[in-house]
């Protein structure tokens, strides 16, 4: 099970929902848009949205952060210690200090009242650091898991943002757009929004596939300050002109990694072309692979980055790890001694840092009579395939590899 599956009680219901999660055409038809997971998305990809003219944009307010005196009074060491204790890592220019208690964020009273009613004791780490960043009106990359309190990290600043903008008039679309990969997540986000928004008269709606369009269209036409949407259904709504994104000044991409994994990138790009470039963008992801980073670089300007916990790979607990520190000159002899100890017909994988090192070790091993072959980035695909087949079959039970080459192998079991 991956980290998302806990939301689904049984796998069939998960699959069913996945199939219908973002059916853009016709309520409940369930035409999946699985991206890399397959599905029929050509219809959506062919839709073209009107080109927007972003000349003569009326400026809008986006910096609402007032540092509280208690935060100003913290020493640099206290700031560092707080971040370390709560596993907060920050990047970017002019990063604001984290807040430690709800009152230090300067949210409107109704927010504090709802927080108190919900019984929250203190801000979660992502809130402590994310709130001052988001309230400053700057773009933000947040690396945090679902369950970390990230939804309120962007929703409470969103309420502050909305309250400072001119009221919506007839025919205007939302001020805040939250894109989410699935309707389940979209609904969860709206539940959080409703807890706070109802106190401030800030309306929100959820736009997702696999549900009748009628009520969603009604909400959009009536006017809502916050739209939480899955990409496919939103494109349908934009194309049919049930709404528009000309008033959006606060854009959230939630679970960006998962949206990319589900193949939503072209749709996200299409949606973003409809939004003014000087918007504030908040980009959330639980992981930070290259594609997620690339998209962030294209959509965000001078962002803050906040990471909660560690992005480092954790050691697999079921593998006994032994670390020995030896000099360069001792390495080969130590390797031979180890091979003599462990070589019992099972397969052995040796990683080297460089391709050159990989070739050298392999050559030496073969000269010394060990059945070793190597793979690395300079070998062509057919050679790699052959080496891998020899290794898998046990005909050549020792394989040397650079970790980069080995990463492309997928899962190999070394016994
Ligand atoms: P999320 O990561 O946004 O999905 O939030 C997970 C859950 O944590 C939600 O039910 C939130 O209402 C709750 N939550 C958010 N902030 C806090 C907090 N500061 N203290 C306790 N629970 C919170």
């Amino acid at each position: 099970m991956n980290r998302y599956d806990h939301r689904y009680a049984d796998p069939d219901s998960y699959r069913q929902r996945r199939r219908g999660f973002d059916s853009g055409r016709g309520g409940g038809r369930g035409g999946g848009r699985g991206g890399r997971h397959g599905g029929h998305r050509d219809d959506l990809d062919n839709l073209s949205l009107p080109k927007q003219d972003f000349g003569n944009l009326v400026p809008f307010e986006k910096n609402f952060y007032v540092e509280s005196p208690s935060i100003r009074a913290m020493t640099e060491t206290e700031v560092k210690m707080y971040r370390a204790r709560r596993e907060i890592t920050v990047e970017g220019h002019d990063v604001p200090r984290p807040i430690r208690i709800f009152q230090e964020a300067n949210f409107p009273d109704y927010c504090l009242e709802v927080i108190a009613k919900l019984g929250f004791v203190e801000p979660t780490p992502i809130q402590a650091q994310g709130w001052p960043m988001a309230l400053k009106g700057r773009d933000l990359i947040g690396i945090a898991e679902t369950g970390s309190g990230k939804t309120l990290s962007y929703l409470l600043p969103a309420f502050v943002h909305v309250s400072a903008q001119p009221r919506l008039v007839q025919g205007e679309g939302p001020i805040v757009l939250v894109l989410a990969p699935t309707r389940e997540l979209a609904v969860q986000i709206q539940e959080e929004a409703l807890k706070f928004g109802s106190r401030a008269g800030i309306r929100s709606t959820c736009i997702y596939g696999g549900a009748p369009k009628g009520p969603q269209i009604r909400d959009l036409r009536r006017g809502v300050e916050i739209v939480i949407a899955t990409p496919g259904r939103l494109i349908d709504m934009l194309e049919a002109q049930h709404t528009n994104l000309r008033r959006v000044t606060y854009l959230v991409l939630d679970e960006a990694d998962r949206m990319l994994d589900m193949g939503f990138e072209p749709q996200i790009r299409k949606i973003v072309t409809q939004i003014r470039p000087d918007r504030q963008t908040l980009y959330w992801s639980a992981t930070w692979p290259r594609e997620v980073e690339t998209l962030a670089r294209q959509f965000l300007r001078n962002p803050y980055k906040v990471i909660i916990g560690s992005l480092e790979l954790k050691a697999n607990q079921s593998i006994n790890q032994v670390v020995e520190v030896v000099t360069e000159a001792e390495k080969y002899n130590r390797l031979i001694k180890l091979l003599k100890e462990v070589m019992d017909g099972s397969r052995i994988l040796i990683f080297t840092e460089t391709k050159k090192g990989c070739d050298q070790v392999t050559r030496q091993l073969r000269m010394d009579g060990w059945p070793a072959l190597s793979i690395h980035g300079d070998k062509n695909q057919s050679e790699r395939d052959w080496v891998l087949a020899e290794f898998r079959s046990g005909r050549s039970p020792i394989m040397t590899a650079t970790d980069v080459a080995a990463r492309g192998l997928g899962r190999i079991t070394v016994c």
Side-chain angles (χ1 to χ4, degrees):
M1 275 208 162
N2 67 31
R3 67 197 158 80
Y4 304 111
D5 292 351
H6 65 272
R7 295 195 193 130
Y8 305 94
D10 72 280
D12 276 346
S13 112
Y14 172 70
R15 270 192 295 276
Q16 251 164 22
R17 287 164 195 233
R18 275 292 298 275
R19 242 178 279 128
F21 70 82
D22 198 14
S23 154
R25 299 224 170 263
R29 208 192 61 178
R33 341 199 155 282
R36 280 176 230 165
H37 301 278
H40 309 286
R41 305 192 359 234
D42 294 351
D43 50 346
L44 266 186
D45 292 345
N46 291 336
L47 288 184
S48 62
L49 299 176
K51 200 164 162 28
Q52 299 297 323
D53 176 11
F54 293 122
N56 300 324
L57 288 171
V58 182
F60 66 95
E61 221 186 314
K62 57 176 166 181
N63 184 355
F64 309 103
Y65 188 55
V66 182
E67 189 176 59
S68 90
S70 55
I71 294 296
R72 206 170 311 133
M74 286 171 87
T75 64
E76 275 308 317
T77 312
E78 283 172 327
V79 170
K80 270 197 189 130
M81 278 168 59
Y82 181 86
R83 287 197 182 121
R85 183 170 64 77
R86 307 212 72 192
E87 293 196 59
I88 299 169
T89 310
V90 293
E91 288 174 25
H93 301 295
D94 194 19
V95 174
R97 297 166 161 207
I99 56 136
R100 296 158 301 180
I101 55 172
F102 294 112
Q103 288 73 9
E104 287 172 334
N106 277 317
F107 286 128
D109 287 345
Y110 75 87
C111 289
L112 296 180
E113 284 160 25
V114 177
I115 285 171
K117 217 171 97 203
L118 291 170
F120 296 172
V121 177
E122 64 170 343
T124 65
I126 190 62
Q127 293 165 352
Q129 185 61 71
W131 278 334
M133 286 173 158
L135 286 167
K136 274 177 90 82
R138 289 259 303 271
D139 286 359
L140 165 63
I141 294 167
I143 312 287
E145 297 267 359
T146 289
S148 59
K150 73 177 160 61
T151 314
L152 291 183
S153 303
Y154 60 75
L155 276 183
L156 296 193
F159 289 126
V160 175
H161 182 102
V162 167
S163 300
Q165 309 307 320
R167 289 183 82 82
L168 292 182
V169 298
Q170 183 65 32
E172 286 186 330
I175 296 167
V176 171
L177 173 65
V178 181
L179 288 178
T182 63
R183 65 173 163 185
E184 284 78 11
L185 182 61
V187 168
Q188 280 176 27
I189 296 167
Q190 199 200 4
E191 281 167 5
E192 295 283 286
L194 287 171
K195 288 179 200 161
F196 291 83
S198 53
R199 294 285 302 274
I202 295 176
R203 297 161 295 178
S204 61
T205 193
C206 225
I207 303 296
Y208 52 82
K213 284 183 179 170
Q216 298 179 359
I217 294 171
R218 261 197 305 280
D219 279 354
L220 290 173
R221 291 205 167 267
R222 222 176 357 226
V224 270
E225 285 78 16
I226 301 181
V227 164
I228 302 141
T230 54
R233 177 59 68 91
L234 179 65
I235 289 185
D236 270 356
M237 293 293 185
L238 291 169
E239 203 253 346
Q241 296 183 16
H242 295 309
T243 189
N244 63 74
L245 305 180
R246 287 189 287 275
R247 279 291 310 267
V248 172
T249 44
Y250 191 100
L251 169 68
V252 179
L253 289 108
D254 202 350
E255 295 198 358
D257 50 350
R258 196 173 176 206
M259 288 203 276
L260 293 197
D261 203 35
M262 292 169 104
F264 283 139
E265 183 173 342
Q267 294 159 43
I268 295 172
R269 286 184 184 282
K270 200 169 279 186
I271 290 166
V272 173
T273 63
Q274 302 292 297
I275 306 173
R276 54 192 285 172
D278 58 347
R279 65 185 180 259
Q280 182 179 2
T281 308
L282 297 97
Y283 189 91
W284 299 88
S285 187
T287 57
W288 195 237
R290 186 156 311 145
E291 318 85 79
V292 177
E293 187 179 348
T294 306
L295 200 66
R297 224 178 288 125
Q298 290 165 19
F299 286 167
L300 308 181
R301 293 175 173 189
N302 189 20
Y304 293 127
K305 186 168 172 192
V306 51
I307 302 161
I308 303 303
S310 164
L311 279 182
E312 303 275 313
L313 287 177
K314 303 228 165 51
N316 185 329
Q317 296 299 313
S318 61
I319 295 173
N320 186 21
Q321 326 244 352
V322 181
V323 177
E324 285 187 33
V325 182
V326 293
T327 65
E328 198 60 40
E330 291 166 336
K331 258 190 200 169
Y332 185 74
N333 286 341
R334 182 71 191 112
L335 173 64
I336 297 299
K337 203 159 164 260
L338 263 179
L339 286 179
K340 284 182 179 156
E341 282 168 27
V342 299
M343 190 80 179
D344 58 359
S346 54
R347 287 168 296 168
I348 294 165
L349 188 52
I350 301 169
F351 287 111
T352 60
E353 192 179 355
T354 62
K355 294 179 252 187
K356 195 165 147 231
C358 192
D359 283 336
Q360 269 169 2
V361 172
T362 314
R363 206 175 311 119
Q364 192 64 51
L365 283 171
R366 293 182 70 80
M367 275 177 4
D368 292 341
W370 295 93
L373 292 173
S374 70
I375 54 162
H376 55 64
D378 285 351
K379 309 257 178 195
N380 65 33
Q381 192 59 51
S382 60
E383 196 175 350
R384 285 201 214 181
D385 290 346
W386 177 78
V387 168
L388 200 56
E390 292 294 292
F391 178 65
R392 280 214 167 100
S393 68
R395 283 189 295 273
S396 174
I398 301 176
M399 185 166 78
T400 58
T402 55
D403 63 342
V404 178
R407 238 179 266 157
L409 296 175
R411 190 179 295 264
I412 43 176
T413 311
V414 183
C415 343

